[in-house]
Amino acid sequence: MLQFQKLPTFLKNGAIFIADSHYSHNNQNLKILLHKIKTNEIKTSQIFLVGDIFHLLLDFKFLKIYNEDIINLINELSHTKEIFYFEGNHDFCLNGIFDKNVKILQELKKDGICINHGDIYIKDKFYKFYTKFIRNKITMNIVNILSLNFINNWMFKKILNKKIRCEKITNFENLAKQKLMFYDDCRLIIEGHYHQNKIYKNYLNLPSLYCQNSFLQLKNGEFVEIFI
């Protein structure tokens, strides 16, 4: 695992990095982990939620009710822990859903550390257009009406039942090299999205709590994988 001789000042020892937990009623890994943090079975004062924390969370009543238990848990933890929430491609337009203590971000670049979900800097032009299109509250409201989703939330229910792929990327090194091209001024890049739990040079792709049942914790300058 990557090690630091000297930690950046904003990163606290014991910080936890959780990515791609894809919480739904069919997958309780996130709920289990947050309860362990709440009861101090897992001790930390800083939590980084690096996108796709929910299988689907947007600012719609049905989804806020569906995810209410976890939203409340995160809000509760935010009163005693510092929480950074990076929007993903399954959870976005989050402003107004969580308490103001939860810092909602697209990305963070500070002291040479760059953190985002992992689908901001990507070469696929179609995917870039798609994510820009859906990460717009007005667009989502229009889609909600035109698809008749507002009648019985059929589209949301379908997505919530969709399975997540956990395959290993065979050419991960090539992917990492492409990623590094976007980060000239970062000595460490932390992303999720790809569910890989791998390192290439200074590019760290986080484990998926859904796929690998694990997260990373920063202990004495070293990223340590912990299984729930």
Side-chain angles (χ1 to χ4, degrees), residues 134-190:
I134 64 169
R135 283 176 171 149
N136 182 296
K137 197 167 183 179
I138 295 173
T139 299
M140 291 310 300
N141 281 322
I142 293 171
V143 171
N144 187 47
I145 294 168
L146 293 181
S147 66
L148 302 180
N149 179 68
F150 67 92
I151 296 175
N152 63 357
N153 298 291
W154 69 268
M155 182 171 62
F156 294 155
K157 292 173 183 175
K158 184 176 180 180
I159 294 171
L160 286 166
N161 286 314
K162 185 178 179 181
K163 291 184 178 180
I164 296 299
R165 297 176 63 181
C166 295
E167 292 90 349
K168 290 292 182 183
I169 296 175
T170 54
N171 59 342
F172 175 78
E173 185 174 315
N174 290 337
L175 169 69
K177 286 178 180 177
Q178 291 177 16
K179 287 287 182 174
L180 289 171
M181 293 171 62
F182 293 102
Y183 296 100
D184 291 333
D185 54 348
C186 302
R187 61 189 180 108
L188 174 63
I189 301 112
I190 300 174

Side-chain angles (χ1 to χ4, degrees), residues 1-211:
M1 274 292 167
L2 288 171
Q3 288 184 307
F4 285 95
Q5 294 286 333
K6 184 179 179 181
L7 284 175
T9 54
F10 80 94
L11 272 183
K12 298 177 182 177
N13 189 44
I16 282 175
F17 292 79
I18 304 167
D20 299 282
S21 47
H22 290 278
Y23 170 79
S24 73
H25 294 178
N26 299 319
N27 173 34
Q28 300 289 307
N29 283 357
L30 180 64
K31 193 171 188 177
I32 292 167
L33 175 53
L34 293 180
H35 272 295
K36 287 184 177 182
I37 295 172
K38 178 183 174 181
T39 59
N40 282 322
E41 183 179 340
I42 295 173
K43 293 179 172 59
T44 186
S45 61
Q46 191 178 55
I47 302 170
F48 292 84
L49 302 171
V50 193
D52 286 4
I53 299 304
F54 296 84
H55 201 20
L56 187 63
L57 180 59
L58 311 170
D59 192 11
F60 289 97
K61 183 178 180 181
F62 170 80
L63 293 174
K64 287 189 284 189
I65 292 173
Y66 180 91
N67 294 302
E68 187 175 23
D69 286 351
I70 302 301
I71 292 171
N72 290 340
L73 255 177
I74 291 172
N75 284 336
E76 184 179 354
L77 288 170
S78 74
H79 294 284
T80 56
K81 322 287 182 187
E82 185 179 26
I83 298 182
F84 297 87
Y85 195 126
F86 298 86
E87 293 187 333
N89 53 301
H90 283 249
D91 43 4
F92 48 89
C93 299
L94 300 180
N95 288 318
I97 294 179
F98 295 95
D99 288 352
K100 63 181 180 180
N101 294 328
V102 181
K103 301 175 179 72
I104 306 297
L105 303 167
Q106 289 290 323
E107 65 176 328
L108 177 65
K109 291 184 176 181
K110 191 172 182 179
D111 297 337
I113 310 298
C114 298
I115 309 170
N116 66 73
H117 174 58
D119 67 336
I120 294 179
Y121 302 111
I122 194 167
K123 284 189 173 182
D124 189 328
K125 291 182 179 179
F126 174 79
Y127 185 83
K128 287 172 75 172
F129 171 79
Y130 164 73
T131 53
K132 188 174 182 180
F133 176 78
I134 64 169
R135 283 176 171 149
N136 182 296
K137 197 167 183 179
I138 295 173
T139 299
M140 291 310 300
N141 281 322
I142 293 171
V143 171
N144 187 47
I145 294 168
L146 293 181
S147 66
L148 302 180
N149 179 68
F150 67 92
I151 296 175
N152 63 357
N153 298 291
W154 69 268
M155 182 171 62
F156 294 155
K157 292 173 183 175
K158 184 176 180 180
I159 294 171
L160 286 166
N161 286 314
K162 185 178 179 181
K163 291 184 178 180
I164 296 299
R165 297 176 63 181
C166 295
E167 292 90 349
K168 290 292 182 183
I169 296 175
T170 54
N171 59 342
F172 175 78
E173 185 174 315
N174 290 337
L175 169 69
K177 286 178 180 177
Q178 291 177 16
K179 287 287 182 174
L180 289 171
M181 293 171 62
F182 293 102
Y183 296 100
D184 291 333
D185 54 348
C186 302
R187 61 189 180 108
L188 174 63
I189 301 112
I190 300 174
E191 292 187 343
H193 187 58
Y194 299 101
H195 309 166
Q196 294 303 294
N197 189 24
K198 286 186 176 182
I199 299 168
Y200 176 77
K201 293 186 177 180
N202 60 325
Y203 175 76
L204 169 60
N205 190 254
L206 295 166
S208 159
L209 189 63
Y210 176 91
C211 294

Side-chain angles (χ1 to χ4, degrees), residues 1-2 215-220 222-227:
M1 274 292 167
L2 288 171
F215 62 95
L216 297 188
Q217 186 167 27
L218 192 56
K219 294 186 176 183
N220 300 316
E222 182 180 2
F223 286 93
V224 178
E225 184 178 12
I226 299 175
F227 294 87

